[in-house]
Amino acid sequence: MTVWSKGVIATEKRFREIRNSDNRLLCVVNDSTGEVETRGPHHSSYIFNIPIGGTFTVVRDNLKSLVTRTTTTFTVENYAIDV
């Protein structure tokens, strides 16, 4: 179980934080299993798996982050959005 508390995450399943270039938390991931947990609006939580080579996008303010799972880890590429 992952516990979200004021931006700090305590984990039991070897999750690690993924942050964008503004240091905003995007999600937590398990590199070996591909499991991802992220928070949505109204403190809802979403849990899903990403296959190797798979990607997903997170938008926070004026920054779009593309998160990709490789064979060993997750990587993040950030792109500025014109608002």
Side-chain angles (χ1 to χ4, degrees):
M1 171 186 236
T2 304
V3 179
W4 296 76
S5 173
K6 296 184 182 177
V8 176
I9 297 172
T11 65
E12 297 172 7
K13 294 189 203 176
R14 300 185 189 262
F15 280 91
R16 70 179 178 90
E17 295 180 346
I18 299 290
R19 294 182 174 271
N20 65 17
S21 57
D22 288 341
N23 202 34
R24 294 204 51 198
L25 181 63
L26 302 176
C27 59
V28 291
V29 300
N30 182 315
D31 291 314
S32 60
T33 66
E35 188 173 356
V36 176
E37 184 172 342
T38 187
R39 273 182 120 178
H42 312 291
H43 303 289
S44 55
S45 181
Y46 299 95
I47 299 172
F48 53 95
N49 284 301
I50 297 292
I52 293 172
T55 64
F56 64 97
T57 302
V58 179
V59 177
R60 297 276 192 266
D61 297 326
N62 63 339
L63 201 59
K64 180 169 87 171
S65 302
L66 180 65
V67 181
T68 303
R69 182 179 179 207
T70 69
T71 55
T72 57
T73 191
F74 281 82
T75 61
V76 180
E77 296 175 53
N78 297 293
Y79 304 93
I81 299 173
D82 292 329
V83 218

